[in-house]
RNA sequence: GCCGGGGUGGCCGAGCGGUCUAAGGCGGCGGGCUGCAGACCCGUUAUUUCCCGGGUUCGAAUCCCGGCCCCGGCUCCA
């Protein structure tokens, strides 16, 4: 609310409760949606890493104009009977994409259609308290002028908003800015019955109702895309003020910057929307995940495949470091060694810097660069001195690399099946023997054939290291 | 019109009053390692500089004022 970066202090000592505005499942998720959910997943992982219990709720607005329209397009006159297929399909897709992007499960995924009664009760209360009124057609509107601070969250001045070009006054509204809590039924639309009229819920109210049901009010953070600040979150805040008497639905509001394409916002009219599945046809979700982390969450992210390829390559470097460590482990000493304390100290420094970066308004780009620094320690120093470090130090380094990567939602495919690992090691050993006997043709053959299978071999003066390319599809 | 967010190297992107002779990545260049190769390693790649013009300060990319430009929001929006 202050428009400033504030120190994050949860309402309760050990637990953080958060609500993220989920999708309206009427179409495929695009790279902008995925950015938002990826960010909050990283945020939650970070909070957990530093010791909080986190309760996260992400909702589905599964009844809405856009869903009805989509159903009409697809099913024509059957839309009335089959509209539920639309949200079902896209909610399924949402979860598939979350899985590919390694976005962890929230604690609850409430749906509007499963909370109609709660919403009706809330509307009744709002009407009784005088914050809402019933229009002649039975629709119920929220009266924003009853909320003194309306506009504070988004920094809007209501007197100026009225003049806004895009406000299309609806009959029955006292003020064009009043918004529908309940929309009266029109032919062909789904409906639920209420004391006012058959119809369906409007946008905004559901988030307040469901957040309060699953988290209580106020809760710690409320998030979503930047485009939700106005009117959505402003209206949520107004509703919660009316309902709970406090102009504070959530302690902190976190809004993720929008994704642009060549500097412009993705939109249907510009036909520049990039659905997540399109990206996932060419890249691993993990690469996209890292790509997101390379831009600070509050900044706009100008999506490009070039940038994504950069991220993919970085990810290879990170995995190479992990794989090298596992091979290094075999060569490292059993007992404590000369360089151990120095290495451990350096690794700890990186870990600290990484966490400091995230504690500073979730500076993931800085965190990424720290993580790369850690990979560099491995690929430029450690692999050349197996005799100077202990197995324990190698394991420790690997564990830090993995767990820091895990906060960013990456490096979750480090483990390699033991049989595969041993098998590759065997081939590497055979190739080494061939090289020693100057049978380079055969040695190169092995290297090439391994490369075709995504195993990249690197000869160094101490050992031949190899890495599995996880970005291959 | 009103309200936000921005403008940093060839590109992406950190930095938010001194440690900036500007992190990190990509790309370029040079080299190393190697039998060769590399998605390996090292070095180098902004140096009258951080959109422009003023100002504050011992000191500014970082703060203030004034411009210019870009993007977004103003009931479809993550």
């Amino acid at each position: 609310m202050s428009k400033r970066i504030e120190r994050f202090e949860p309402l309760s000592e050990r637990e953080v409760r958060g609500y993220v505005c989920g999708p309206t499942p009427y179409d495929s998720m695009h790279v902008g949606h995925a950015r938002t959910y990826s960010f909050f997943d990283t945020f939650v992982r970070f909070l957990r890493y530093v010791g909080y219990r986190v309760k996260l709720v992400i909702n589905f607005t599964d009844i809405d104009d856009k869903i009805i329209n989509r159903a009409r397009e697809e099913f024509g006159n059957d839309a009335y009977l089959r509209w539920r297929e639309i949200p079902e399909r896209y909610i399924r897709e949402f979860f598939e994409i979350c899985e590919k992007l390694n976005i962890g499960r929230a604690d609850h995924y409430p749906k509007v259609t499963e909370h109609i009664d709660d919403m009706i009760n809330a509307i009744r209360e709002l009407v009784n308290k005088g914050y809402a009124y019933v229009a002649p057609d039975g629709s119920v509107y929220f009266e924003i002028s009853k909320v003194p601070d309306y506009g504070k969250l988004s920094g809007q001045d209501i007197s100026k908003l009225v003049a806004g070009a895009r406000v299309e006054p609806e009959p029955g509204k006292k003020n064009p800015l009043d918004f529908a809590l309940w929309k009266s039924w029109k032919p062909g639309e789904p409906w639920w019955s209420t004391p006012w009229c058959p119809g369906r819920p409007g946008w905004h109210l559901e988030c307040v109702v469901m957040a309060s049901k699953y988290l209580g009010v106020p809760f710690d953070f409320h998030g979503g895309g930047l485009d939700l600040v106005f009117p959505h979150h402003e209206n949520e805040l107004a509703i919660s003020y009316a309902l709970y008497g406090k102009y504070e639905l959530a302690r902190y509001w976190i809004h993720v910057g929008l994704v642009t394409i060549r500097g412009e916002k993705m939109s249907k009219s510009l036909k520049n929307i990039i659905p997540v599945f399109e990206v996932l046809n060419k890249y691993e979700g993990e690469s996209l995940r890292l790509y997101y982390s390379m831009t600070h969450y509050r900044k706009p992210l100008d999506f490009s495949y070039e940038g994504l390829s950069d991220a993919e390559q970085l990810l290879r470097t990170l995995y190479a470091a992990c794989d090298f460590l596992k091979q290094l482990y075999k060569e490292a000493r059993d007992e404590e060694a000369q360089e151990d304390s120095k290495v451990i100290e350096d690794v700890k420094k990186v870990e600290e810097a990484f966490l400091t970066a995230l504690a500073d308004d979730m500076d993931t780009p800085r965190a990424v660069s720290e993580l790369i620094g850690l990979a560099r320690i491995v690929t430029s120093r450690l692999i050349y001195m197996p005799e100077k470090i202990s197995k324990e130090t190698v394991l420790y380094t690997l564990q830090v690399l993995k767990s820091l990567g895990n906060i960013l939602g990456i490096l979750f495919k480090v483990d390699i099946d033991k049989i595969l690992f041993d098998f590759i090691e065997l081939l590497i050993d055979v190739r080494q023997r061939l090289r020693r006997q100057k049978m380079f043709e055969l040695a190169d053959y092995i290297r090439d054939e391994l490369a075709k299978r995504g195993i990249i071999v690197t000869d160094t003066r101490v050992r031949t290291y190899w890495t599995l390319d996880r970005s291959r599809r």
Side-chain angles (χ1 to χ4, degrees):
Chain A
M1 283 298 285
S2 69
K3 310 265 163 53
R4 254 171 291 182
I5 296 166
E6 291 187 15
R7 190 180 177 78
F8 186 80
E9 282 164 356
L11 292 156
S12 88
E13 192 84 3
R14 302 257 40 106
E15 192 184 52
V16 173
R17 290 166 294 145
Y19 187 94
V20 174
C21 283
T24 299
Y26 74 104
D27 202 351
S28 285
M29 214 157 81
H30 60 59
V31 290
H33 300 112
R35 180 191 190 192
T36 300
Y37 305 120
S38 292
F39 169 74
F40 283 106
D41 181 56
T42 297
F43 183 47
V44 166
R45 285 169 187 264
F46 174 62
L47 290 173
R48 291 196 173 125
Y49 190 89
V50 297
Y52 289 109
R53 253 196 347 266
V54 181
K55 193 169 178 188
L56 181 71
V57 177
I58 299 178
N59 72 286
F60 294 114
T61 304
D62 63 341
I63 175 65
D64 173 273
D65 292 359
K66 294 193 287 294
I67 289 169
I68 294 169
N69 291 340
R70 178 69 189 242
R72 285 216 178 97
E73 273 168 37
E74 260 184 60
F75 307 128
N77 290 335
D78 287 343
Y80 177 73
L81 296 167
R82 299 180 61 188
W83 66 272
R84 280 178 190 271
E85 291 175 31
I86 302 291
E88 275 167 19
R89 180 196 309 155
Y90 293 111
I91 287 172
R92 204 181 313 123
E93 191 197 86
F94 172 87
F95 284 119
E96 280 167 17
I97 286 171
C98 282
E99 197 168 317
K100 288 191 176 147
L101 289 180
N102 196 29
I103 294 171
R105 301 280 301 194
D107 296 275
H108 300 281
Y109 292 100
K111 293 177 187 153
V112 173
T113 54
E114 289 166 2
H115 295 80
I116 299 287
D117 289 343
D118 296 312
M119 292 178 72
I120 291 171
N121 288 336
I123 295 170
R124 188 178 291 123
E125 192 179 336
L126 289 168
V127 171
N128 289 343
K129 284 185 169 174
Y131 286 99
Y133 56 91
V134 183
D137 69 350
S139 293
V140 185
Y141 292 105
F142 188 91
E143 192 167 359
I144 60 150
S145 61
K146 295 278 165 85
V147 178
D149 281 333
Y150 188 82
K152 195 176 160 197
L153 175 71
S154 55
Q156 304 284 339
D157 181 344
I158 20 174
S159 62
K160 281 171 182 147
L161 274 177
V162 184
R166 288 209 248 168
V167 177
E168 218 173 282
E170 274 174 56
K173 275 190 187 179
K174 290 187 189 173
N175 177 327
L177 291 171
D178 288 349
F179 56 90
L181 297 168
W182 192 262
K183 294 185 174 188
S184 72
W185 179 82
K186 292 191 198 73
E189 291 181 354
W191 59 273
W192 289 262
S193 64
T194 69
W196 312 286
C197 67
R200 60 197 164 84
W203 197 32
H204 315 308
L205 175 65
E206 83 276 19
C207 287
V208 180
V209 167
M210 298 191 288
S212 65
K213 177 164 180 172
Y214 293 98
L215 298 172
V217 173
F219 48 94
D220 294 297
F221 71 90
H222 189 140
L226 190 66
D227 51 354
L228 293 181
V229 176
F230 190 89
H232 186 50
H233 287 162
E234 195 68 69
N235 289 347
E236 286 184 32
L237 195 53
I239 292 168
S240 66
Y241 170 80
L243 244 24
Y244 309 111
K246 214 177 161 196
Y247 206 62
E248 183 186 47
L249 178 59
R251 209 66 193 291
Y252 307 97
W253 294 83
I254 302 171
H255 292 110
V256 179
L258 303 183
V259 173
T260 57
I261 308 291
R262 277 190 279 274
E264 284 178 315
K265 187 187 165 173
M266 282 190 286
S267 77
K268 289 235 154 103
S269 52
L270 287 167
K271 291 189 183 139
N272 61 355
I273 288 179
I274 300 184
V276 182
F277 67 72
E278 183 189 305
V279 175
L280 294 179
N281 280 337
K282 299 176 206 148
Y283 293 85
E284 283 293 325
E286 204 174 356
S287 302
L288 181 58
R289 192 74 199 261
L290 179 59
Y291 179 52
Y292 285 141
S293 290
M294 290 165 69
T295 302
H296 186 88
Y297 79 93
R298 280 189 287 105
K299 287 210 164 184
L301 168 64
D302 196 41
F303 184 90
S304 72
Y305 279 106
E306 292 73 34
L308 186 54
S309 296
D310 283 1
E312 184 179 63
Q313 198 163 328
L314 268 184
L315 193 63
R316 284 194 199 108
T317 303
L318 292 171
Y319 270 120
C322 294
D323 289 339
F324 291 178
L325 282 169
K326 281 187 281 181
Q327 295 151 53
L328 181 63
Y329 180 80
K330 295 174 72 174
E331 323 290 334
R333 305 187 77 110
D334 292 315
E335 67 282 4
E336 204 178 319
Q338 171 185 350
E339 291 287 323
D340 276 349
S341 56
K342 179 103 186 58
V343 171
I344 288 172
E345 192 186 315
D346 289 348
V347 172
K348 281 212 164 106
K349 252 185 230 159
V350 172
E351 185 180 16
E352 260 167 52
F354 181 97
L355 296 172
T356 304
L358 291 186
D360 180 12
D361 192 29
M362 290 300 288
D363 193 343
T364 53
R366 216 163 85 211
V368 168
S369 87
E370 291 302 335
L371 198 58
I372 290 160
L374 183 52
R376 285 263 176 271
I377 290 176
V378 176
T379 57
S380 71
R381 272 171 54 202
L382 268 45
I383 61 168
Y384 295 107
M385 50 184 211
E387 75 291 345
K388 287 181 184 159
I389 48 180
S390 67
K391 284 184 163 41
E392 205 179 321
T393 299
V394 172
L395 273 189
Y396 171 71
T397 307
L398 180 59
Q399 178 261 317
V400 170
L401 201 49
K402 272 166 77 173
S403 58
L404 296 186
N406 188 257
I407 297 176
L408 300 177
I410 59 170
L411 300 184
F412 52 90
K413 293 184 289 200
V414 170
D415 294 339
I416 297 174
D417 189 85
K418 183 157 190 319
I419 293 174
L420 178 62
F421 186 89
D422 289 344
F423 208 66
I424 296 170
E425 285 284 273
L426 174 64
L427 277 170
I428 296 293
D429 180 43
V430 170
R431 177 168 168 272
Q432 276 308 88
R433 288 163 193 255
L434 291 170
R435 285 177 75 210
R436 252 180 250 128
Q437 292 173 38
K438 308 251 184 263
M439 297 171 74
F440 296 122
E441 202 180 317
L442 255 184
D444 288 352
Y445 173 74
I446 292 176
R447 183 172 67 196
D448 294 345
E449 289 301 311
L450 284 173
K452 282 184 194 163
R453 289 157 181 79
I455 296 150
I456 297 118
V457 171
T458 299
D459 297 323
T460 71
R461 71 185 93 91
V462 278
R463 185 198 208 273
T464 293
Y465 287 97
W466 54 271
T467 178
L468 233 179
D469 184 357
R470 274 87 167 172
S471 64
R472 276 169 63 103
R473 330 226 358 126

